[in-house]
Amino acid sequence: MKKYLLTLLFAIAFPINAAQSTVASVEFLHWWTSAGEVRAANIAKQALEEANVHVEQQAIQGGGGDTAMSILQARAIAGTPPTIAQLEGPAIQSWAALGFLYDLEQLANQEHWRSQLYPIARAVNQFEGRFVATPVTIHRLNWMWVNHDVLRQYNLSPPDNWEALIDTFKTLKRHNVQPLAIGNDQWQIALLFENLAFGYGGADYYRRAFMDMDEHTLRSATTFEILSLFREISRLIQPTISHIRWNEATQLLIEGKHAFQFSGDWVLGELLAKHVAAPEAIGCYQAPAKHTGFIYNMDSFALFNSARSSRKTANTLARALSSKAFLTAFNQAKGALPARKDIDLSQFNPCSRQAHHDMEQAEQNGRLLPSTVDSMAVSPIVQQATTSEIYRYFNDESIGPEEFILRLENIPRGK
Ligand code: BGC
């Protein structure tokens, strides 16, 4: 049955009479819709236009890309995938296993990807030892963005542990300032939890509990303490939280209506696009943690094989989207680190240079961690189930730690 389905999907993806035309017009599906993201996506469009490719963008709302991925699946099954799609993590290998992606191994060899990429970017973009996607960004997710003016006004400083953060939230609330810029959506809430889990529990705990889903670690006192802190935070912000998008939350942070935001460095891209001085006005601090660590996710571009695309076009696209010049300009706008090691970061924002420094240190100390929430560490099924349990716990006081842990334990682990 499985073999039959694969054959069917292959037949859809590679019709026998597929016209291998030299398509000069391609569709580009991604979920970059905020000011900083649009600026970065336009840099990609421009790089492709310089390579004589006309680009039609299909930008789908939704941080984390859940909606974009559902649309991509529907289109691929219908036999009309876009030529270029933004992808993350293990999903790249799943698409490759089904035969949807162009193999980029030849270009990767010509361009020395193996020696130029960071090891974390090498692994995730290969299937059976061959490159099947072009690595673009490395985003840091354990950032705490801080409005300095707001903190100064109440004589507060950026906290470096979660208990102090909660005290700071309480002080702000007493002065009628909303402490946290966050929308009540699964992805944003789960990112906050992931920051707390690593910051409070440490790297080994994070790996064992949320990557290996080890029962003993999940049932440990650390999990109960983390859940209790998470409950406190939820009680402090629940009364006023709404369903805003992450970039709307950043706007409230910029305006000083909220004091903190925990999110990846796409926030930096947003600040730069809006000409906000970072790190002077909005500071970037590692989210409170016992040690320096780096939680990452990465964006890649995958080139989908269909009747409307050709290998020649795929190569042109991949070449343009992996060049040093493109990766430099794109990542500067995006707020991320380039996936290639051989890029000079001296003109990057100080927050990015800090991220790079912390990434190197984290790598040496075994604290370079894939995001479980942002599709990097676990299969999409486990990721979605975990995220929705975290969200449910955050929003429903009647769920206690025991029940939360039990629900996580019951998530099927299959790939
Ligand atoms: C992507 C980023 C994007 C962010 C918010 C993450 O999943 O990796 O590129 O900026 O979502 O939309």
Side-chain angles (χ1 to χ4, degrees):
M1 181 65 183
K2 198 169 163 199
K3 206 166 163 200
Y4 168 74
L5 275 177
L6 282 179
T7 318
L8 184 69
L9 284 169
F10 255 88
I12 294 168
F14 307 108
I16 293 165
N17 294 325
Q20 295 294 296
S21 58
T22 46
V23 193
S25 178
V26 300
E27 241 187 298
F28 175 20
L29 183 142
H30 55 77
W31 61 93
W32 291 324
T33 54
S34 75
E37 292 176 331
V38 167
R39 189 168 155 235
N42 285 338
I43 291 174
K45 184 176 160 78
Q46 196 189 327
L48 292 173
E49 285 182 349
E50 280 163 16
N52 290 325
V53 179
H54 172 72
V55 183
E56 224 179 278
Q57 304 200 52
Q58 209 191 349
I60 318 278
Q61 289 281 1
D66 287 350
T67 316
M69 289 303 97
S70 304
I71 291 175
L72 181 63
Q73 279 159 25
R75 290 195 49 180
I77 289 168
T80 55
T83 305
I84 314 175
Q86 175 192 1
L87 287 185
E88 304 176 314
I92 296 173
Q93 280 146 21
S94 306
W95 282 110
L98 288 170
F100 277 101
L101 307 186
Y102 277 109
D103 178 307
L104 304 175
E105 185 61 17
Q106 204 185 343
L107 176 70
N109 285 331
Q110 281 164 10
E111 305 272 319
H112 311 290
W113 288 8
R114 279 188 180 74
S115 56
Q116 284 168 351
L117 294 171
Y118 286 101
I120 49 171
R122 280 204 295 264
V124 86
N125 289 286
Q126 291 181 63
F127 174 64
E128 294 181 341
R130 300 175 71 83
F131 277 95
V132 289
T134 68
V136 185
T137 65
I138 300 179
H139 273 298
R140 183 189 204 177
L141 274 56
N142 56 327
W143 273 129
M144 176 173 80
W145 305 95
V146 177
N147 185 311
H148 284 147
D149 267 353
V150 175
L151 257 55
R152 226 173 275 129
Q153 209 175 330
Y154 302 104
N155 214 8
L156 295 164
S157 43
D160 62 5
N161 65 71
W162 288 87
E163 291 85 347
L165 180 83
I166 288 172
D167 287 344
T168 307
F169 278 15
K170 288 181 181 157
T171 309
L172 287 165
K173 276 199 78 170
R174 275 200 299 277
H175 290 99
N176 290 323
V177 177
Q178 299 304 328
L180 189 59
I182 193 167
N184 200 0
D185 83 55
Q186 288 198 8
W187 177 73
Q188 293 181 65
I189 300 295
L191 268 185
L192 173 66
F193 180 81
E194 184 169 87
N195 272 286
L196 170 60
F198 161 69
Y200 189 86
D204 288 344
Y205 168 81
Y206 175 96
R207 271 199 200 91
R208 285 204 296 265
F210 297 104
M211 290 168 67
D212 307 340
M213 308 284 256
D214 169 59
E215 229 171 85
H216 179 72
T217 313
L218 275 176
R219 296 211 156 267
S220 66
T222 308
T223 307
F224 282 82
E225 285 153 21
I226 288 170
L227 288 170
S228 150
L229 291 166
F230 197 46
R231 176 64 73 223
E232 269 202 77
I233 296 175
S234 112
R235 283 193 189 125
L236 285 167
I237 63 176
Q238 270 300 346
T240 48
I241 197 167
S242 65
H243 293 275
I244 54 175
R245 290 195 284 270
W246 71 265
N247 51 310
E248 293 171 320
T250 304
Q251 182 57 33
L252 294 172
L253 178 78
I254 295 171
E255 289 167 14
K257 298 197 172 119
H258 292 60
F260 294 90
Q261 182 174 16
F262 289 86
S263 200
D265 41 23
W266 37 86
V267 168
L268 175 62
E270 204 61 10
L271 299 174
L272 298 176
K274 294 187 165 177
H275 308 288
V276 176
E280 296 81 4
I282 304 291
C284 47
Y285 299 84
Q286 165 167 283
K290 291 177 184 137
H291 303 283
T292 300
F294 192 102
I295 304 181
Y296 66 87
N297 86 324
M298 292 180 281
D299 297 302
S300 302
F301 294 136
L303 303 171
F304 277 70
N305 194 327
S306 77
R308 303 183 308 166
S309 62
S310 73
R311 161 155 298 285
K312 189 161 169 262
T313 308
N315 268 333
T316 308
L317 302 172
R319 193 177 293 280
L321 295 174
S322 58
S323 79
K324 258 169 100 165
F326 165 68
L327 290 177
T328 305
F330 182 88
N331 281 290
Q332 271 184 301
K334 191 74 178 56
L337 296 172
R340 275 171 75 146
K341 286 187 286 191
D342 58 344
I343 288 180
D344 173 20
L345 300 180
S346 59
Q347 299 308 310
F348 277 59
N349 181 273
C351 296
S352 301
R353 296 208 303 275
Q354 178 70 46
H356 182 247
H357 171 269
D358 290 355
M359 179 171 80
E360 293 202 318
Q361 200 174 318
E363 191 176 15
Q364 278 163 23
N365 299 324
R367 299 195 194 104
L368 182 57
L369 300 164
S371 165
T372 58
V373 169
D374 217 334
S375 327
M376 278 288 130
V378 287
S379 78
I381 297 163
V382 176
Q383 175 235 334
Q384 275 165 27
T386 309
T387 303
S388 88
E389 292 308 339
I390 293 170
Y391 184 67
R392 208 197 300 248
Y393 178 87
F394 182 85
N395 279 290
D396 186 349
E397 279 255 9
S398 75
I399 300 177
E402 286 282 355
E403 188 180 339
F404 172 81
I405 293 167
L406 195 65
R407 282 169 186 249
L408 285 198
E409 283 170 355
N410 286 336
I411 295 173
R413 309 291 150 84
K415 292 259 165 194

Short mmCIF file of all heavy atoms in Angstrom, two decimals, residues 326-372:
data_model
loop_
_atom_site.label_atom_id
_atom_site.label_comp_id
_atom_site.label_asym_id
_atom_site.label_seq_id
_atom_site.Cartn_x
_atom_site.Cartn_y
_atom_site.Cartn_z
N PHE A 326 23.94 37.05 -1.99
CA PHE A 326 22.53 36.95 -1.64
C PHE A 326 22.36 36.64 -0.14
O PHE A 326 21.60 37.30 0.56
CB PHE A 326 21.82 35.87 -2.47
CG PHE A 326 20.49 35.50 -1.89
CD1 PHE A 326 19.44 36.40 -1.89
CD2 PHE A 326 20.31 34.27 -1.24
CE1 PHE A 326 18.22 36.10 -1.29
CE2 PHE A 326 19.09 33.96 -0.64
CZ PHE A 326 18.06 34.87 -0.67
N LEU A 327 23.11 35.65 0.34
CA LEU A 327 22.93 35.25 1.74
C LEU A 327 23.30 36.38 2.71
O LEU A 327 22.70 36.51 3.78
CB LEU A 327 23.74 33.99 2.05
CG LEU A 327 23.21 32.71 1.38
CD1 LEU A 327 24.11 31.52 1.68
CD2 LEU A 327 21.79 32.39 1.85
N THR A 328 24.25 37.20 2.31
CA THR A 328 24.63 38.33 3.16
C THR A 328 23.47 39.33 3.24
O THR A 328 23.00 39.68 4.33
CB THR A 328 25.89 39.03 2.59
OG1 THR A 328 26.91 38.06 2.45
CG2 THR A 328 26.35 40.16 3.50
N ALA A 329 22.99 39.76 2.08
CA ALA A 329 21.94 40.79 2.05
C ALA A 329 20.65 40.26 2.68
O ALA A 329 20.00 40.95 3.48
CB ALA A 329 21.69 41.22 0.61
N PHE A 330 20.30 39.02 2.36
CA PHE A 330 19.05 38.45 2.85
C PHE A 330 19.07 38.35 4.38
O PHE A 330 18.14 38.78 5.06
CB PHE A 330 18.83 37.07 2.22
CG PHE A 330 17.54 36.43 2.64
CD1 PHE A 330 16.37 36.68 1.95
CD2 PHE A 330 17.49 35.60 3.76
CE1 PHE A 330 15.17 36.12 2.35
CE2 PHE A 330 16.29 35.04 4.17
CZ PHE A 330 15.13 35.29 3.46
N ASN A 331 20.14 37.79 4.92
CA ASN A 331 20.18 37.57 6.36
C ASN A 331 20.29 38.86 7.15
O ASN A 331 19.78 38.96 8.26
CB ASN A 331 21.30 36.59 6.72
CG ASN A 331 20.88 35.16 6.43
OD1 ASN A 331 20.02 34.61 7.11
ND2 ASN A 331 21.44 34.57 5.39
N GLN A 332 20.96 39.85 6.56
CA GLN A 332 21.02 41.15 7.25
C GLN A 332 19.60 41.71 7.41
O GLN A 332 19.25 42.24 8.45
CB GLN A 332 21.88 42.13 6.47
CG GLN A 332 23.35 42.04 6.89
CD GLN A 332 24.20 43.07 6.19
OE1 GLN A 332 24.26 43.10 4.96
NE2 GLN A 332 24.84 43.92 6.95
N ALA A 333 18.80 41.55 6.37
CA ALA A 333 17.42 42.06 6.45
C ALA A 333 16.57 41.17 7.35
O ALA A 333 15.69 41.65 8.07
CB ALA A 333 16.82 42.12 5.05
N LYS A 334 16.84 39.90 7.35
CA LYS A 334 16.00 38.94 8.08
C LYS A 334 16.31 38.93 9.58
O LYS A 334 15.52 38.45 10.38
CB LYS A 334 16.24 37.55 7.46
CG LYS A 334 15.30 36.47 7.89
CD LYS A 334 13.94 36.67 7.23
CE LYS A 334 12.96 35.60 7.59
NZ LYS A 334 12.71 35.40 8.99
N GLY A 335 17.50 39.43 9.94
CA GLY A 335 17.88 39.40 11.36
C GLY A 335 18.55 38.09 11.73
O GLY A 335 18.85 37.84 12.90
N ALA A 336 18.81 37.23 10.73
CA ALA A 336 19.34 35.89 11.01
C ALA A 336 20.83 35.80 10.70
O ALA A 336 21.42 36.74 10.17
CB ALA A 336 18.58 34.88 10.15
N LEU A 337 21.40 34.65 11.02
CA LEU A 337 22.79 34.38 10.63
C LEU A 337 22.76 33.57 9.33
O LEU A 337 21.92 32.68 9.18
CB LEU A 337 23.49 33.56 11.72
CG LEU A 337 23.64 34.24 13.06
CD1 LEU A 337 24.17 33.26 14.11
CD2 LEU A 337 24.58 35.44 12.94
N PRO A 338 23.69 33.86 8.41
CA PRO A 338 23.73 33.07 7.18
C PRO A 338 24.12 31.63 7.48
O PRO A 338 24.92 31.38 8.39
CB PRO A 338 24.82 33.75 6.34
CG PRO A 338 25.19 35.00 7.06
CD PRO A 338 24.74 34.89 8.47
N ALA A 339 23.57 30.69 6.70
CA ALA A 339 23.90 29.28 6.92
C ALA A 339 25.34 28.96 6.52
O ALA A 339 25.86 27.91 6.88
CB ALA A 339 22.91 28.41 6.14
N ARG A 340 25.98 29.86 5.74
CA ARG A 340 27.37 29.64 5.33
C ARG A 340 28.33 30.27 6.32
O ARG A 340 28.12 31.39 6.79
CB ARG A 340 27.61 30.30 3.97
CG ARG A 340 27.23 29.45 2.81
CD ARG A 340 27.28 30.23 1.52
NE ARG A 340 28.66 30.45 1.07
CZ ARG A 340 29.00 30.49 -0.23
NH1 ARG A 340 28.08 30.32 -1.16
NH2 ARG A 340 30.24 30.70 -0.59
N LYS A 341 29.43 29.54 6.56
CA LYS A 341 30.43 30.02 7.55
C LYS A 341 31.32 31.12 6.98
O LYS A 341 31.93 31.87 7.72
CB LYS A 341 31.36 28.86 7.94
CG LYS A 341 30.73 27.85 8.84
CD LYS A 341 31.78 26.84 9.29
CE LYS A 341 32.14 25.89 8.17
NZ LYS A 341 32.95 24.75 8.57
N ASP A 342 31.44 31.15 5.64
CA ASP A 342 32.45 32.04 5.04
C ASP A 342 31.90 33.43 4.73
O ASP A 342 32.30 34.06 3.76
CB ASP A 342 33.02 31.38 3.78
CG ASP A 342 31.93 31.07 2.76
OD1 ASP A 342 30.74 31.08 3.14
OD2 ASP A 342 32.26 30.82 1.58
N ILE A 343 30.96 33.90 5.53
CA ILE A 343 30.40 35.24 5.29
C ILE A 343 30.85 36.20 6.38
O ILE A 343 30.79 35.87 7.57
CB ILE A 343 28.85 35.14 5.18
CG1 ILE A 343 28.52 34.46 3.85
CG2 ILE A 343 28.19 36.51 5.29
CD1 ILE A 343 27.06 34.28 3.55
N ASP A 344 31.32 37.35 5.96
CA ASP A 344 31.83 38.35 6.89
C ASP A 344 30.64 39.00 7.62
O ASP A 344 29.73 39.54 6.99
CB ASP A 344 32.60 39.39 6.05
CG ASP A 344 33.03 40.58 6.88
OD1 ASP A 344 33.08 40.45 8.12
OD2 ASP A 344 33.31 41.64 6.28
N LEU A 345 30.67 38.96 8.96
CA LEU A 345 29.53 39.48 9.72
C LEU A 345 29.79 40.89 10.26
O LEU A 345 28.99 41.41 11.03
CB LEU A 345 29.21 38.54 10.89
CG LEU A 345 28.83 37.10 10.54
CD1 LEU A 345 28.55 36.30 11.80
CD2 LEU A 345 27.61 37.06 9.63
N SER A 346 30.90 41.50 9.84
CA SER A 346 31.26 42.78 10.48
C SER A 346 30.21 43.87 10.23
O SER A 346 30.07 44.77 11.04
CB SER A 346 32.65 43.23 10.04
OG SER A 346 32.66 43.38 8.64
N GLN A 347 29.46 43.75 9.12
CA GLN A 347 28.44 44.78 8.85
C GLN A 347 27.06 44.37 9.39
O GLN A 347 26.08 45.06 9.17
CB GLN A 347 28.33 45.04 7.34
CG GLN A 347 29.60 45.57 6.70
CD GLN A 347 30.15 46.78 7.43
OE1 GLN A 347 29.41 47.74 7.68
NE2 GLN A 347 31.41 46.73 7.83
N PHE A 348 26.97 43.24 10.06
CA PHE A 348 25.69 42.79 10.61
C PHE A 348 25.39 43.55 11.90
O PHE A 348 26.28 44.07 12.56
CB PHE A 348 25.72 41.28 10.88
CG PHE A 348 25.44 40.43 9.66
CD1 PHE A 348 26.23 40.52 8.53
CD2 PHE A 348 24.37 39.54 9.64
CE1 PHE A 348 25.98 39.75 7.39
CE2 PHE A 348 24.10 38.76 8.52
CZ PHE A 348 24.90 38.86 7.40
N ASN A 349 24.12 43.58 12.28
CA ASN A 349 23.70 44.25 13.51
C ASN A 349 24.39 43.61 14.73
O ASN A 349 24.64 42.39 14.73
CB ASN A 349 22.18 44.13 13.64
CG ASN A 349 21.64 44.80 14.87
OD1 ASN A 349 21.59 44.21 15.93
ND2 ASN A 349 21.27 46.07 14.73
N PRO A 350 24.70 44.40 15.78
CA PRO A 350 25.34 43.83 16.98
C PRO A 350 24.57 42.65 17.58
O PRO A 350 25.19 41.73 18.15
CB PRO A 350 25.36 45.00 17.96
CG PRO A 350 25.32 46.22 17.09
CD PRO A 350 24.57 45.86 15.86
N CYS A 351 23.24 42.63 17.46
CA CYS A 351 22.49 41.48 18.00
C CYS A 351 22.85 40.22 17.22
O CYS A 351 22.98 39.13 17.81
CB CYS A 351 20.98 41.71 17.91
SG CYS A 351 20.40 43.08 18.92
N SER A 352 23.04 40.33 15.92
CA SER A 352 23.43 39.17 15.12
C SER A 352 24.84 38.73 15.48
O SER A 352 25.13 37.53 15.54
CB SER A 352 23.36 39.48 13.62
OG SER A 352 22.07 39.87 13.27
N ARG A 353 25.70 39.71 15.71
CA ARG A 353 27.08 39.32 16.04
C ARG A 353 27.11 38.63 17.41
O ARG A 353 27.85 37.68 17.64
CB ARG A 353 28.00 40.55 15.98
CG ARG A 353 28.07 41.13 14.55
CD ARG A 353 29.39 41.84 14.29
NE ARG A 353 29.63 42.91 15.24
CZ ARG A 353 29.15 44.14 15.11
NH1 ARG A 353 28.44 44.48 14.05
NH2 ARG A 353 29.40 45.06 16.02
N GLN A 354 26.26 39.12 18.31
CA GLN A 354 26.13 38.47 19.63
C GLN A 354 25.62 37.03 19.44
O GLN A 354 26.12 36.09 20.07
CB GLN A 354 25.14 39.27 20.49
CG GLN A 354 24.87 38.70 21.86
CD GLN A 354 26.08 38.82 22.77
OE1 GLN A 354 26.69 39.88 22.82
NE2 GLN A 354 26.43 37.75 23.46
N ALA A 355 24.63 36.89 18.56
CA ALA A 355 24.06 35.55 18.30
C ALA A 355 25.16 34.63 17.79
O ALA A 355 25.28 33.47 18.22
CB ALA A 355 22.92 35.62 17.29
N HIS A 356 26.00 35.14 16.89
CA HIS A 356 27.06 34.32 16.32
C HIS A 356 28.04 33.88 17.40
O HIS A 356 28.43 32.72 17.49
CB HIS A 356 27.76 35.11 15.21
CG HIS A 356 28.84 34.32 14.54
ND1 HIS A 356 30.17 34.62 14.65
CD2 HIS A 356 28.76 33.19 13.79
CE1 HIS A 356 30.87 33.73 13.99
NE2 HIS A 356 30.05 32.86 13.45
N HIS A 357 28.41 34.82 18.24
CA HIS A 357 29.33 34.52 19.34
C HIS A 357 28.72 33.45 20.25
O HIS A 357 29.37 32.46 20.61
CB HIS A 357 29.61 35.82 20.11
CG HIS A 357 30.37 35.61 21.37
ND1 HIS A 357 29.74 35.39 22.59
CD2 HIS A 357 31.69 35.55 21.62
CE1 HIS A 357 30.66 35.22 23.53
NE2 HIS A 357 31.84 35.31 22.97
N ASP A 358 27.46 33.63 20.60
CA ASP A 358 26.79 32.68 21.50
C ASP A 358 26.62 31.31 20.83
O ASP A 358 26.70 30.28 21.49
CB ASP A 358 25.42 33.21 21.94
CG ASP A 358 25.56 34.40 22.89
OD1 ASP A 358 26.70 34.74 23.27
OD2 ASP A 358 24.52 35.01 23.24
N MET A 359 26.39 31.33 19.52
CA MET A 359 26.23 30.06 18.81
C MET A 359 27.54 29.25 18.88
O MET A 359 27.52 28.05 19.15
CB MET A 359 25.85 30.31 17.35
CG MET A 359 25.68 29.03 16.55
SD MET A 359 24.99 29.28 14.91
CE MET A 359 26.41 29.80 14.00
N GLU A 360 28.65 29.95 18.68
CA GLU A 360 29.94 29.22 18.71
C GLU A 360 30.21 28.67 20.10
O GLU A 360 30.64 27.53 20.26
CB GLU A 360 31.06 30.17 18.29
CG GLU A 360 30.90 30.54 16.82
CD GLU A 360 32.17 31.01 16.18
OE1 GLU A 360 32.90 31.79 16.84
OE2 GLU A 360 32.43 30.61 15.03
N GLN A 361 29.92 29.51 21.11
CA GLN A 361 30.14 29.06 22.48
C GLN A 361 29.22 27.87 22.82
O GLN A 361 29.65 26.90 23.41
CB GLN A 361 29.86 30.22 23.43
CG GLN A 361 30.49 30.01 24.77
CD GLN A 361 30.32 31.25 25.63
OE1 GLN A 361 30.49 32.37 25.16
NE2 GLN A 361 29.98 31.05 26.88
N ALA A 362 27.96 27.99 22.38
CA ALA A 362 26.99 26.93 22.67
C ALA A 362 27.42 25.62 21.99
O ALA A 362 27.28 24.54 22.56
CB ALA A 362 25.60 27.33 22.18
N GLU A 363 27.96 25.74 20.80
CA GLU A 363 28.38 24.54 20.07
C GLU A 363 29.50 23.83 20.83
O GLU A 363 29.48 22.61 21.00
CB GLU A 363 28.83 24.92 18.67
CG GLU A 363 29.02 23.69 17.80
CD GLU A 363 29.38 24.02 16.37
OE1 GLU A 363 29.75 25.18 16.10
OE2 GLU A 363 29.30 23.10 15.54
N GLN A 364 30.44 24.63 21.34
CA GLN A 364 31.55 24.03 22.08
C GLN A 364 31.09 23.34 23.36
O GLN A 364 31.66 22.37 23.81
CB GLN A 364 32.56 25.12 22.46
CG GLN A 364 33.52 25.45 21.32
CD GLN A 364 34.21 26.78 21.57
OE1 GLN A 364 34.31 27.23 22.72
NE2 GLN A 364 34.68 27.40 20.51
N ASN A 365 30.02 23.92 23.96
CA ASN A 365 29.58 23.41 25.27
C ASN A 365 28.39 22.46 25.21
O ASN A 365 27.74 22.22 26.23
CB ASN A 365 29.24 24.59 26.19
CG ASN A 365 30.45 25.48 26.40
OD1 ASN A 365 31.57 24.98 26.47
ND2 ASN A 365 30.25 26.77 26.46
N GLY A 366 28.06 22.02 24.03
CA GLY A 366 26.94 21.08 23.90
C GLY A 366 25.59 21.74 24.18
O GLY A 366 24.64 21.09 24.60
N ARG A 367 25.51 23.05 23.92
CA ARG A 367 24.23 23.73 24.19
C ARG A 367 23.65 24.38 22.93
O ARG A 367 22.95 25.38 22.99
CB ARG A 367 24.41 24.79 25.28
CG ARG A 367 24.87 24.20 26.57
CD ARG A 367 24.71 25.15 27.74
NE ARG A 367 25.47 24.62 28.86
CZ ARG A 367 26.65 25.09 29.25
NH1 ARG A 367 27.18 26.14 28.67
NH2 ARG A 367 27.28 24.53 30.27
N LEU A 368 23.96 23.79 21.79
CA LEU A 368 23.39 24.23 20.53
C LEU A 368 22.20 23.32 20.27
O LEU A 368 22.37 22.13 19.99
CB LEU A 368 24.45 24.10 19.43
CG LEU A 368 24.09 24.56 18.03
CD1 LEU A 368 23.67 26.02 18.01
CD2 LEU A 368 25.29 24.38 17.10
N LEU A 369 20.99 23.87 20.40
CA LEU A 369 19.81 23.01 20.46
C LEU A 369 18.80 23.33 19.36
O LEU A 369 18.43 24.49 19.17
CB LEU A 369 19.11 23.21 21.81
CG LEU A 369 19.96 22.89 23.04
CD1 LEU A 369 19.34 23.48 24.29
CD2 LEU A 369 20.11 21.39 23.18
N PRO A 370 18.32 22.31 18.68
CA PRO A 370 17.28 22.55 17.68
C PRO A 370 15.96 22.88 18.37
O PRO A 370 15.65 22.32 19.42
CB PRO A 370 17.18 21.21 16.95
CG PRO A 370 17.70 20.21 17.91
CD PRO A 370 18.69 20.89 18.80
N SER A 371 15.19 23.78 17.77
CA SER A 371 13.89 24.10 18.36
C SER A 371 12.94 22.92 18.15
O SER A 371 12.84 22.39 17.04
CB SER A 371 13.31 25.34 17.66
OG SER A 371 11.95 25.45 17.97
N THR A 372 12.25 22.54 19.20
CA THR A 372 11.26 21.47 19.02
C THR A 372 9.96 22.07 18.50
O THR A 372 9.22 21.45 17.76
CB THR A 372 10.99 20.71 20.33
OG1 THR A 372 10.54 21.63 21.29
CG2 THR A 372 12.24 20.04 20.84
#
